[in-house]
Amino acid sequence: MKKLINNPRSVVAESLEGFGLAHHDLVQIHLDPDYVLRRDVPVQGKVGLVSGGGSGHEPLHSGYVGQGMLTAAVPGAVFTSPTPDQILPAIVKSDSGSGVLLVVKNYTGDILNFETAAELAGVEGIDIRTVVVNDDVAVEDSTYTAGRRGVAGTVLLERIAGGAADRGDVLAKVAEIAERVNANVRSMGVALAPCTVPHAGEPSFTLAEDEIEMGVGIHGEPGRHRVPMTTADSITDQLMEPVLSDLGVASGDRVLLFVNGMGGTPLSELYIVYRRAAQILADRGARVERSLVGNYITALEMEGASVTVLRLDDELTDLWDSPVNTPALRWGV
Amino acid sequence: MELDAAWADRWMRLSAAALSGNRQRLTTLDREIGDADHGENMERGFSAVVEKLDADGVPETPGAVFKTVAMTLMSKVGGAAGPLYGTAFLRASTAAGSASALGPAELVAVLTAARDGIVARGKAEPGDKTMIDAWTPAVDAAVTAEAAGSGPVEILTAAANAADAGLAGTEPLVARKGRASYLGERSAGHLDPGAASTALILQAAVSAAETAA
């Protein structure tokens, strides 16, 4: 394992320190317990938006702290959800009296820890709502699994709900918009090569040279099945089919198309995937009105990509376009 | 022998040593069906427990030791293991109450409360391929041993042995809870890492009691 680290135990803290130094104009970092706040918290008269999860998915979530997106982000250990004693102060400092929306990805650990923190925040008199993101169509949502995972759709949801909070919507409205995004977004990912968790020291799974893992999540956890390596177009077809059929994309639908890199795949290849995905949508008669391409929710250095389709309406589009000023996403400012 | 605060303190220190010694093994089990962090998380949590016991001194009752453990695990572990083990020890603390030592009946009540806490938090059932598959046979064995008139060491031994058997029994199961559930059928053929850490912790409880006996 070759990594640019000093000590596997201090990866999160040292990375966070560097992040705070690099973006001190936008964010303030707090160490022990670890959390990241907008420089100007709490924002008076506005709903706070707090998210978090395991580290290793950078720029998620810390990179999305700032105007028009998150008020606070809570990073856990690598691929491990944060603890309630980290989440609670982030909630308390994000609350201006207008309440706080928690954005939680559907993983057992994230749910349990955010649930506990929400309960504690409620005791302190803070109005809390929670939205659970579960956009991954690779996972069958049944009583036999923990339910669909929350993956790349999280980025889109944080941007749009953050836009709603920033324009001054009340908590119930921000939560409704977040739920609307979740109801209209689907994702599916593929891994070409695994990642190595720093403290584990070995790759999370192994793939033969001619094998890829379809339906992989963002933790290097194995996906649903392995298939032979093939062309970018064929892989994109396999990713898009379940996304579009599950979302029920029809002719005339307006969508946002998001091709996300898992950390180890060059942008050039992501655009090749985007090219094919856009063709598929055009063939269906759907209109791609907004796009996002890049490494926005990663799995350390895993090679691979995911495609995400969000069905847009006028309000979601306006909120997507509204000003955002964060370390990793910025426009309109 | 008595299951007093000193026993509870030894239990936690022996658990920390066992989890530290098995860090790589637990992480490997978790890498196969999860996300490769269970060994690291358990070592981090129980090291923090030992640090806390060193810093504050040993509390006066087993219940107070369990409460310290619960609060420390919930604030240091994260993931699913933090809330699950944290809840287990919190319920164990409540069940132990202010007793200065646990007799056979109290010991069984503590183990039962811990198991029930994990079930309430994680909503898993036996057969889901989780730590419950070690905890449930352990509690059943403890109940049986106590009913047969066994003393604390025998009850704990029965529980730990049943947890080991329960752990072995997770291998063929298909996971229905937690991150391993995403694997579906592919989760079969692997031991559950949470059941593995449970077996280690219950074995440490036996060692802690034998040391005093």
Side-chain angles (χ1 to χ4, degrees), chain B residues 166-203:
Chain B
L167 164 64
T170 63
E171 185 161 343
L173 297 175
V174 172
R176 291 192 295 240
K177 289 283 172 187
R179 208 163 278 173
S181 72
Y182 303 137
L183 277 177
E185 299 289 333
R186 287 166 66 188
S187 61
H190 302 276
L191 294 172
D192 179 67
S197 58
T198 291
L200 289 171
I201 289 168
L202 291 177
Q203 195 57 58

Side-chain angles (χ1 to χ4, degrees), chain B:
Chain B
M1 62 116 347
E2 283 207 317
L3 299 182
D4 54 8
W7 163 75
D9 178 71
R10 271 197 311 281
W11 178 13
M12 292 308 120
R13 290 170 190 278
L14 291 171
S15 295
L19 291 163
S20 178
N22 284 274
R23 182 177 75 90
Q24 199 60 46
R25 176 175 151 251
L26 293 174
T27 290
T28 300
L29 291 177
D30 194 26
R31 184 189 310 113
E32 287 163 354
I33 58 169
D35 55 359
D37 66 356
H38 193 57
E40 179 75 13
N41 289 346
M42 294 304 288
E43 184 187 39
R44 184 173 65 241
F46 276 82
S47 302
V49 166
V50 170
E51 277 170 34
K52 181 81 180 153
L53 292 169
D54 283 343
D56 296 358
V58 181
E60 288 185 359
T61 63
V65 174
F66 297 153
K67 190 173 180 198
T68 297
V69 175
M71 302 317 274
T72 308
L73 293 183
M74 283 200 223
S75 69
K76 293 294 177 196
V77 178
L84 292 173
Y85 278 117
T87 303
F89 280 102
L90 198 58
R91 297 287 182 92
S93 167
T94 307
S98 54
S100 58
L102 308 174
E106 291 80 19
L107 172 61
V108 170
V110 160
L111 294 172
T112 306
R115 188 271 314 269
D116 291 351
I118 297 169
V119 171
R121 230 339 129 207
K123 300 176 183 70
E125 294 169 9
D128 283 349
K129 196 178 182 98
T130 71
M131 59 175 76
I132 288 300
D133 290 312
W135 275 100
T136 291
V139 169
D140 290 347
V143 168
T144 305
E146 197 264 333
S150 300
V153 174
E154 290 73 28
I155 293 171
L156 285 170
T157 303
N161 290 344
D164 278 341
L167 164 64
T170 63
E171 185 161 343
L173 297 175
V174 172
R176 291 192 295 240
K177 289 283 172 187
R179 208 163 278 173
S181 72
Y182 303 137
L183 277 177
E185 299 289 333
R186 287 166 66 188
S187 61
H190 302 276
L191 294 172
D192 179 67
S197 58
T198 291
L200 289 171
I201 289 168
L202 291 177
Q203 195 57 58
V206 179
S207 306
E210 283 171 346
T211 313

Side-chain angles (χ1 to χ4, degrees), chain A residues 9 77 79-81 83-85 106-109 112-113 115-116 139 144-147 149 199-200 202-204 213 219 221-226, chain B residues 23-24 27 31-32 34-37 40-41 43-44 74-80 83-84 121-123 175-179 181-184 186:
Chain A
R9 303 268 158 103
F79 291 175
T80 302
S81 75
T83 53
D85 69 321
N106 191 32
Y107 292 99
T108 307
L112 292 178
N113 287 283
E115 215 170 64
T116 307
V139 176
Y144 300 107
T145 71
R149 296 176 288 216
H199 58 241
E202 284 174 51
S204 296
E213 184 91 33
H219 300 95
E221 72 267 47
R224 293 293 287 181
H225 53 276
R226 288 183 182 178
Chain B
R23 182 177 75 90
Q24 199 60 46
T27 290
R31 184 189 310 113
E32 287 163 354
D35 55 359
D37 66 356
E40 179 75 13
N41 289 346
E43 184 187 39
R44 184 173 65 241
M74 283 200 223
S75 69
K76 293 294 177 196
V77 178
L84 292 173
R121 230 339 129 207
K123 300 176 183 70
R176 291 192 295 240
K177 289 283 172 187
R179 208 163 278 173
S181 72
Y182 303 137
L183 277 177
R186 287 166 66 188

Side-chain angles (χ1 to χ4, degrees), chain A residues 88-148:
Chain A
L88 181 62
I91 293 174
V92 170
K93 291 195 171 156
S94 297
D95 181 42
S96 71
S98 304
V100 173
L101 178 70
L102 303 181
V103 178
V104 184
K105 298 186 301 305
N106 191 32
Y107 292 99
T108 307
D110 290 290
I111 299 282
L112 292 178
N113 287 283
F114 273 89
E115 215 170 64
T116 307
E119 231 175 277
L120 296 170
V123 171
E124 299 204 12
I126 299 173
D127 208 358
I128 298 281
R129 291 284 297 266
T130 298
V131 58
V132 176
V133 192
N134 59 349
D135 56 316
D136 187 359
V137 297
V139 176
E140 283 172 44
D141 188 11
S142 77
T143 49
Y144 300 107
T145 71
R148 286 182 166 171

